[in-house]
Amino acid sequence: MTRSAEKIMDFLHSVHPYDTLPQDELVRVAGCFSRSEVPAGTVVYSEGDPIEHVWLIKSGTVEVTDANGALVSMLSPRNSFGERGLLREGRAVTTATTSSDAVLLALPGGELRHMIANFPAFERFFSRGQGLGGKHGRQNDLATLKVADLMARKPVIGALNTTAKEAARLMRDNRISCVPVVKDGVLLGIVTTRDLSARVLAEGRSVDTPLSEIMTPDPLALSPQALGSDILHMMLENRIGHLPVVRDGRLLGMITQTDLTRFQAISSGQLVRDAAVAKSYEDLAPVTGRIPQLLVQLVGAHNAHDVVTRLITDIADTVTRRLLKLAEEKLGPPPAPYLWAACGSQGRQEQTGVSDQDNCIIIDDSVSPDDMAYYAELARFVSDGLDAAGYFYCPGDMMATNPRWCQPLQVWRRYFSGWINTPSPEAQMLASVMFDLRPIGGQVSLFRDLQEETLAAASRNSIFVAHMISNSVKHTPPLGLLRSFATIRSGEHKNHVDMKLGGVVPVTDLARVYALRGRITAANTRARLLAAEEKGIISVSGARDLIEAYDLIANLRLENQANLVRMGRKPDNFLAPSDLSDFERSHLRDAFVVVRTMQSAVGQMAGTLG
């Protein structure tokens, strides 16, 4: 193997789904890639060009735009692009342009087709709507979204006897441009700022005029099942900017031109681009402040949960890398190479609308004791910036600002060796967190060797594996008796279930154990489950059941968060089973049963290992 192919193979170890390939196949595929250094501003391909390769970004960034020049995606290292045109139309359906100097790896189309045909992980990855480097093509398709996924919940309303003055104040205080007139939940009319101007001010009427005299009665309205295209057509045809959403005459919400404009302006690619050019960490908060609305759009477009969380995590990655760049501009170049790595949900690429920060710094062993102050300052700058951007400080202090988690590589080697050889309860907890590490910025090679050594040592230590298995079944699904749920009994979240601790965390813990046993380098939960199936760590039927259960749980969690955002609330992880249909409740409970069954099977395994 040439030195170039060897470097490509090392890089592919950190890229899914290449990280699932058998070693001999990975060696072969690495030799099929060609490497090129591409200056910023280079058009890799234009819409309509024949596509013969799929590209993988090793460094730099690439913008993907549609036929109108609108940004579809901003891609970064480890993202691939070009596969949509290659696998579907044979010609490019977008335009890809390097937005910074980049190193691109090109794989012939025949090789990609070969792997899709022979390796299930590739077939699943490239058939889940993840063209454009994991970016789902439907995320900004307004025309096909349902009105229910776009409308504002709990609209501000007025009554027949509400005065024009009171209506104007409602609009001002709530920053809205219309007030629907409602009686007993039934929509009777609508008053807009234009009505106040034309029917009150222009005609010299009193500000105490009731809305019953100035409203537009029986306004045009849509059902929640209408599509975004219906909104556009109705607004354009009737030259209106406000549409009530009703069911059986009862007001459910409002759609305005502002809602449509906001929707079109928000995409993961746009947020990534805005974060990448931020001049200070104060500029990042407005970018991440748009994530809840992006969550609503992605969920409303029926994207799979792993696509949604990947796109949201991409934003956090970009914010982190931008903060690292700003820190180096302020502090000067680092005295020794370092790696900033994320663990927790960011490390697994599973961030939702609720995220704290979990991170660490691994420093090259050439660092001197006097140089360590630099990395402490860098950690504080980045961590403070992340907090200002909405990624709040980790309650458990699992951050690079904690000197324990900002250390040279040799110290990290001792950490992992100690956790593996002396698996105390604290060691199990720390190992669980740190086995989800993923490089974000800096010298990736500092992590690669550490990960390979750690996985090899951990998988060989049956006592450590047994302890990790026992630790993985501490969080159990909230199953009650007689097909009911064990809901929270008191407090703010009474009669709810925790979809994080009782839903996704048990699966995440199981996947981590499978990854440990199979020396699987992927950090993402779903990727770990797929790789575990391919390596025979779990049976095909068990893997299929667990993956489908995980998909259902994770999707319901995101849908609940999106609903909370639509209602003007902060997203959280607590779901009331009573809010679900009988069908949904039944399937959620079945999913919990699958997870509990898999936990039992793994728990029995621990007894044979310990």
Side-chain angles (χ1 to χ4, degrees):
M1 175 183 289
T2 65
R3 179 57 181 160
S4 176
E6 185 177 349
K7 289 182 177 180
I8 291 174
M9 185 184 71
D10 289 344
F11 177 66
L12 295 179
H13 270 299
S14 68
V15 181
H16 188 71
Y18 298 94
D19 59 347
T20 66
L21 290 173
Q23 185 64 21
D24 57 345
E25 182 66 13
L26 185 64
V27 170
R28 189 192 70 77
V29 171
C32 295
F33 276 94
S34 59
R35 180 185 182 277
S36 57
E37 298 182 4
V38 185
T42 301
V43 176
V44 182
Y45 60 74
S46 298
E47 182 190 12
D49 288 350
I51 297 292
E52 299 176 351
H53 297 81
V54 60
W55 286 266
L56 181 62
I57 304 174
K58 191 172 189 297
S59 65
T61 54
V62 174
E63 289 188 2
V64 178
T65 54
D66 64 16
N68 298 315
L71 183 69
V72 175
S73 296
M74 172 73 81
L75 307 180
S76 53
R78 294 178 183 79
N79 290 157
S80 59
F81 63 97
E83 58 265 35
R84 182 179 175 190
L86 176 68
L87 299 175
R88 298 182 187 178
E89 293 83 359
R91 290 185 176 274
V93 294
T94 54
T95 297
T97 308
T98 53
S99 49
S100 68
D101 292 345
V103 174
L104 302 182
L105 306 177
L107 181 68
E111 290 299 328
L112 179 63
R113 294 188 182 94
H114 165 77
M115 287 186 289
I116 290 174
N118 291 278
F119 298 96
F122 279 81
E123 192 278 330
R124 296 189 191 103
F125 184 84
F126 289 107
S127 67
R128 288 178 59 80
Q130 296 198 40
L132 308 178
K135 309 297 191 271
H136 197 288
R138 292 187 300 168
Q139 63 169 294
N140 224 30
D141 191 357
L142 172 63
T144 58
L145 277 181
K146 289 185 178 179
V147 166
D149 295 318
L150 291 168
M151 69 179 182
R153 300 293 179 91
K154 293 187 177 179
V156 177
I157 61 174
L160 289 170
N161 61 356
T162 299
T163 66
K165 181 179 180 179
E166 291 169 338
R169 285 178 173 171
L170 284 173
M171 294 184 201
R172 179 197 65 188
D173 295 344
N174 292 280
R175 298 182 179 181
I176 55 178
S177 55
C178 70
V179 171
V181 181
V182 175
K183 182 178 181 180
D184 297 329
V186 176
L187 177 69
L188 301 178
I190 189 172
V191 174
T192 68
T193 52
R194 180 179 295 180
D195 294 330
L196 293 178
S197 175
R199 298 175 184 177
V200 179
L201 293 178
E203 296 183 5
R205 302 173 77 169
S206 168
V207 294
D208 292 324
T209 302
L211 297 189
S212 59
E213 296 183 19
I214 60 175
M215 71 182 187
T216 299
D218 300 321
L220 292 171
L222 288 168
S223 80
Q225 298 306 309
L227 299 179
S229 58
D230 298 321
I231 303 172
L232 296 170
H233 296 163
M234 191 173 288
M235 285 185 173
L236 291 171
E237 183 177 346
N238 296 280
R239 298 183 180 181
I240 56 178
H242 307 81
L243 278 172
V245 181
V246 301
R247 180 189 292 124
D248 298 328
R250 304 184 69 84
L251 181 69
L252 300 179
M254 291 292 304
I255 292 284
T256 69
Q257 286 181 336
T258 302
D259 295 323
L260 302 186
T261 301
R262 185 183 300 115
F263 177 90
Q264 296 285 44
I266 297 178
S267 70
S268 62
Q270 184 64 53
L271 298 191
V272 164
R273 182 164 67 176
D274 291 348
V277 298
K279 300 299 183 184
S280 67
Y281 69 68
E282 291 87 358
D283 295 337
L284 291 168
V287 178
T288 55
R290 287 178 275 167
I291 289 177
Q293 188 58 42
L294 174 65
L295 172 69
V296 170
Q297 292 175 198
L298 293 171
V299 173
H302 307 293
N303 289 282
H305 69 89
D306 52 321
V307 175
V308 176
T309 55
R310 167 65 184 275
L311 294 176
I312 290 176
T313 305
D314 282 351
I315 298 167
D317 291 354
T318 305
V319 168
T320 304
R321 283 191 286 266
R322 185 57 184 157
L323 286 167
L324 288 169
K325 180 70 173 177
L326 292 172
E328 290 184 17
E329 290 176 359
K330 177 183 178 182
L331 303 174
Y338 74 93
L339 171 72
W340 183 282
C343 45
S345 59
Q346 184 182 3
R348 296 189 303 274
Q349 296 180 299
E350 294 167 3
Q351 287 192 318
T352 66
V354 187
S355 295
D356 62 354
Q357 53 175 294
D358 299 278
N359 45 58
C360 66
I361 296 178
I362 302 172
I363 310 168
D364 188 85
D365 287 334
S366 63
V367 68
S368 71
D370 292 340
D371 292 332
M372 292 300 294
Y374 174 95
Y375 301 97
E377 290 187 55
L378 180 138
R380 174 56 59 191
F381 182 97
V382 176
S383 184
D384 287 349
L386 288 171
D387 182 71
Y391 303 101
F392 51 89
Y393 299 119
C394 173
D397 204 19
M398 300 291 292
M399 298 183 296
T401 50
N402 182 339
R404 187 179 187 185
W405 311 127
C406 179
Q407 292 291 336
L409 177 60
Q410 60 183 334
V411 175
W412 281 100
R413 284 195 165 104
R414 288 201 297 271
Y415 284 165
F416 278 101
S417 176
W419 295 333
I420 292 168
N421 294 323
T422 312
S424 65
E426 182 192 33
Q428 296 168 40
M429 183 274 292
L430 293 174
S432 294
V433 173
M434 294 304 177
F435 272 123
D436 292 349
L437 283 180
R438 182 172 61 88
I440 303 298
Q443 191 79 30
V444 177
S445 61
L446 289 170
F447 173 72
R448 184 177 57 245
D449 292 343
L450 174 65
Q451 183 187 43
E452 291 178 356
E453 294 169 10
T454 300
L455 283 175
S459 62
R460 290 194 299 264
N461 190 318
S462 60
I463 295 177
F464 174 74
V465 173
H467 279 282
M468 287 293 289
I469 290 174
S470 298
N471 189 63
S472 74
V473 297
K474 289 182 178 178
H475 294 104
T476 58
L479 290 168
L481 299 175
L482 301 176
R483 297 197 61 79
S484 64
F485 295 94
T487 58
I488 298 169
R489 298 192 173 204
S490 61
E492 179 185 358
H493 302 296
K494 182 179 179 181
N495 298 326
H496 289 66
V497 293
D498 188 332
M499 294 293 284
K500 178 182 179 181
L501 291 182
V504 298
V505 166
V507 184
T508 297
D509 289 343
L510 285 172
R512 188 181 299 111
V513 168
Y514 300 145
L516 176 62
R517 295 188 62 223
R519 302 187 187 183
I520 296 166
T521 57
N524 177 265
T525 297
R526 202 174 194 282
R528 282 171 165 172
L529 295 177
L530 291 170
E533 176 191 355
E534 290 181 19
K535 293 196 171 196
I537 306 300
I538 46 178
S539 67
V540 173
S541 60
R544 289 290 89 205
D545 287 346
L546 185 55
I547 290 171
E548 289 182 16
Y550 177 57
D551 287 346
L552 187 144
I553 293 166
N555 280 324
L556 279 178
R557 178 193 183 200
L558 288 180
E559 288 170 10
N560 183 58
Q561 289 191 2
N563 285 334
L564 292 172
V565 174
R566 292 190 191 102
M567 292 186 288
R569 295 166 55 187
K570 290 185 177 181
D572 61 36
N573 293 301
F574 300 96
L575 170 70
S578 59
D579 290 341
L580 302 176
S581 67
D582 290 344
F583 180 84
E584 289 173 320
R585 281 197 299 272
S586 176
H587 280 270
L588 177 59
R589 191 183 187 284
D590 289 343
F592 285 156
V593 169
V594 168
V595 176
R596 190 69 192 94
T597 301
M598 296 299 287
Q599 286 183 319
S600 297
V602 168
Q604 292 173 5
M605 184 192 309
T608 64
L609 293 172

